[in-house]
Amino acid sequence: MAMRKLFIGRKIRSLREAHKATQSQFADRIGISTSYLNQIENNQRPVSASVLLALVDKFQIDLGELSAGEGDRLLSALSEALTDPLFESYNPNLQELKLITQNAPSLAHALVRAHQAYRRNSEQLASLNDSMGRSTQAAEATPYEEVRDFFHFVDNYIHDLDVQAEELSIELGLAHDDRHAALTSYLQRVHNVKIARAEPGRDILRHFDPATRVLSLNAYIPATSRDFQLALQIAQLQAADTVDRVVKTGNFRTKEAADICRIGLHNYFAGALLFPYRAFQAAATLLRHDLELLASRFGASLEQVCHRLSTLQRPGEKGIPVFFARVDRAGNITKRHSATKLQFARFGAACPLWNVHQAFEAPGRIIRQLAETPDGARFLCLATQITKGGGGFKSSQPQYAIAFGCEISYAPAFIYADDLDLSQRSSFDPIGISCRICERTQCFQRAVPPLMRKLHVDHDMRTVLPYRIEDS
């Protein structure tokens, strides 16, 4: 198979600028001409294998960092937006889209945001009945969507928070000692916070009273959730300045979005504190990503383990790139991240052939699936059901399915692939991103026709679908 051409001019320019080098100085260091470097930085020529090796040798960088990251996610988001019938007169090929995302990522982001606003406005107008005078604010991204996209495009990794939390975790010995006792002691000793049980009948997980310095915790939540709430309180008290700096980089339009982002960043710090980067990554490698053993080793839930694995994107020390999602029974994706080629649809439901939907039928089991997307990429997909809540017979216990996996080239690093035949194409189930953008013409499970594809209806013949999708 021919090696795909690598156009990473912006990343090369950023690397050069980070080392405060002129084009001439940088070109001399990696052994190429200044004109060649200029062409690379402007994506007029791809990066050769010899240049890549020189960059690795001279600057000790992770080769994967140059070819992966935001590009795939932005390319996926832009491709999905352009399948809308709104753009039916414009049908760019993959190379054109790559040039846009590589050379003008800000323009690509703006187009994606504009399409989101158009979609929300269209959906609002379609559903209006007696509220014609309502404000058009619904056409703008909601605060939640703004924050979701913020984490999506920073690769779900916040370096300053991760390092700060890891240093504190090592100081407290959380990877080895009784972490509940260590967290409680630290809150009392350093932040003068006392831990108490929440009053019976109060439907809260935690409540902190700044005046009395009392942190009240629900007495009936699992130990994994209890420790996470302790770590979250430490995040709010100790990482506030770092969180504020990160929030400012998001350039959020509203205070609500900034506040929601703070929640996400506090959660991020708590996860990084309980699962310190290097110790957790080493354990994941040693245990071959056995989710249940990792949960037992770190006193965590399966969701916490999967979420943390999805954040192992530290430059120079990256873990296996994985995808992670949490799906409810209605098919809504309530958490999502992918450092792989598999990107989740921003509109519409997930593919019905994806094994995440089967998890609700087999509680307590980790279901495996070998899957192939329309672009030929192959994945090891894992899914399992989880139940939230607790606190008695009458308490609410929402159920979700966790989806987790990796590209097939990384499957040998996962214990779940040991007895699967990865070499036979017949072993892989065909899946898509969502029906509205899936190009498969023979899918028996298709819910809606793909956008921007013509349909043929034969009234004299009926197959599984009442139409035939014409080839483009």
Side-chain angles (χ1 to χ4, degrees):
M1 180 181 296
M3 178 180 175
R4 67 182 178 91
K5 294 181 178 180
L6 203 58
F7 292 90
I8 51 174
R10 293 185 71 254
K11 291 186 178 182
I12 299 299
R13 185 184 300 114
S14 296
L15 179 64
R16 175 175 63 80
E17 291 172 348
H19 286 80
K20 296 180 173 58
T22 65
Q23 281 192 336
S24 176
Q25 293 169 333
F26 195 83
D28 285 343
R29 189 165 181 184
I30 59 177
I32 62 175
S33 67
T34 303
S35 61
Y36 181 23
L37 176 62
N38 182 270
Q39 290 175 316
I40 289 176
E41 289 192 358
N42 288 285
N43 282 329
Q44 296 172 352
R45 292 182 64 180
V47 177
S48 66
S50 60
V51 172
L52 285 176
L53 292 176
L55 290 168
V56 172
D57 178 53
K58 300 297 183 181
F59 297 97
Q60 289 76 51
I61 59 175
D62 183 351
L63 188 59
E65 293 174 28
L66 290 175
S67 59
E70 178 181 342
D72 287 340
R73 288 181 290 281
L74 184 55
L75 179 63
S76 174
L78 182 61
S79 299
E80 182 180 358
L82 292 176
T83 60
D84 195 297
L86 175 70
F87 303 105
E88 62 182 349
S89 62
Y90 177 53
N91 188 25
N93 59 38
L94 183 60
Q95 185 59 35
E96 287 180 284
L97 294 180
K98 285 183 177 179
L99 287 174
I100 293 172
T101 56
Q102 291 164 352
N103 289 337
S106 297
L107 175 61
H109 277 291
L111 181 57
V112 169
R113 288 194 297 269
H115 178 254
Q116 289 175 328
Y118 165 78
R119 281 292 302 254
R120 281 185 291 270
N121 193 47
S122 298
E123 291 166 1
Q124 181 195 31
L125 291 174
S127 62
L128 284 178
N129 185 4
D130 57 353
S131 54
M132 294 298 291
R134 185 179 300 175
S135 167
T136 59
Q137 288 180 349
E140 299 178 344
T142 67
Y144 174 82
E145 289 170 332
E146 271 199 278
V147 174
R148 180 197 66 187
D149 288 347
F150 168 78
F151 280 98
H152 182 67
F153 288 114
V154 298
D155 213 7
N156 208 29
Y157 176 75
I158 310 295
H159 184 74
D160 290 348
L161 282 177
D162 211 295
V163 171
Q164 183 180 355
E166 182 181 34
E167 291 173 350
L168 179 58
S169 183
I170 293 172
E171 176 187 334
L172 299 181
L174 296 184
H176 309 286
D177 298 334
D178 179 348
R179 70 180 190 182
H180 178 70
L183 292 169
T184 301
S185 174
Y186 186 78
L187 278 168
Q188 293 176 337
R189 174 169 46 87
V190 176
H191 296 288
N192 192 30
V193 173
K194 297 180 179 179
I195 312 301
R197 288 190 173 190
E199 298 177 8
R202 296 188 65 189
D203 187 21
I204 62 168
L205 295 179
R206 56 179 283 276
H207 175 258
F208 178 63
D209 186 337
T212 63
R213 309 294 289 180
V214 173
L215 173 63
S216 300
L217 297 176
N218 187 314
Y220 301 105
I221 58 175
T224 56
S225 298
R226 175 200 63 195
D227 290 348
F228 190 88
Q229 296 305 322
L230 292 173
L232 181 64
Q233 189 60 58
I234 293 176
Q236 290 184 346
L237 295 172
Q238 191 151 330
D241 291 342
T242 307
V243 166
D244 285 343
R245 287 198 302 272
V246 175
V247 168
K248 288 180 180 178
T249 67
N251 295 317
F252 297 110
R253 295 179 301 104
T254 65
K255 180 179 182 299
E256 289 85 352
D259 285 340
I260 291 173
C261 186
R262 283 188 176 85
I263 294 175
L265 295 172
H266 291 147
N267 285 332
Y268 186 99
F269 184 96
L273 180 61
L274 297 177
F275 312 108
Y277 195 100
R278 291 186 178 89
F280 184 73
Q281 185 182 42
T285 302
L286 177 66
L287 299 175
R288 300 188 59 221
H289 299 82
D290 188 313
L291 303 179
E292 291 166 306
L293 290 183
L294 281 170
S296 177
R297 165 70 180 80
F298 286 89
S301 67
L302 289 180
E303 180 181 357
Q304 289 172 343
V305 167
C306 291
H307 200 156
R308 183 54 171 154
L309 286 169
S310 77
T311 67
L312 298 184
Q313 299 296 304
R314 181 176 295 181
E317 302 178 67
K318 288 190 175 184
I320 299 293
V322 300
F323 63 81
F324 162 67
R326 188 180 71 186
V327 182
D328 67 16
R329 280 189 172 273
N332 300 306
I333 301 178
T334 59
K335 283 186 179 182
R336 68 181 73 194
H337 176 68
S338 179
T340 72
K341 292 179 180 177
L342 179 65
Q343 300 296 324
F344 304 109
R346 303 167 76 83
F347 302 100
C351 175
L353 298 179
W354 193 22
N355 69 337
V356 66
H357 305 292
Q358 301 172 23
F360 293 107
E361 304 168 11
R365 289 178 50 202
I366 294 180
I367 303 172
R368 303 177 297 172
Q369 179 186 39
L370 296 177
E372 180 177 348
T373 49
D375 61 358
R378 296 179 180 179
F379 302 89
L380 169 65
C381 302
L382 309 175
T384 188
Q385 184 213 17
I386 62 170
T387 301
K388 295 281 195 176
F393 177 72
K394 292 186 177 182
S395 63
S396 60
Q397 296 186 331
Q399 295 180 335
Y400 299 93
I402 294 294
F404 181 80
C406 66
E407 293 179 26
I408 208 64
S409 60
Y410 295 102
F414 289 71
I415 195 169
Y416 304 98
D418 282 356
D419 58 344
L420 299 178
D421 187 351
L422 308 181
S423 62
Q424 296 296 321
R425 184 166 190 173
S426 59
S427 301
F428 291 79
D429 297 329
I431 68 168
I433 304 303
S434 74
C435 290
R436 63 184 295 276
I437 60 173
C438 181
E439 292 295 309
R440 297 192 190 279
T441 60
Q442 303 298 321
C443 179
F444 65 90
Q445 197 69 61
R446 178 175 288 282
V448 295
L451 296 173
M452 296 187 71
R453 294 292 293 274
K454 293 183 178 180
L455 304 181
H456 174 74
V457 177
D458 187 341
H459 295 285
D460 297 321
M461 182 176 68
R462 170 64 194 262
T463 59
V464 175
L465 295 176
Y467 51 80
R468 177 170 58 83
I469 303 170
E470 295 186 0
D471 294 330
S472 56

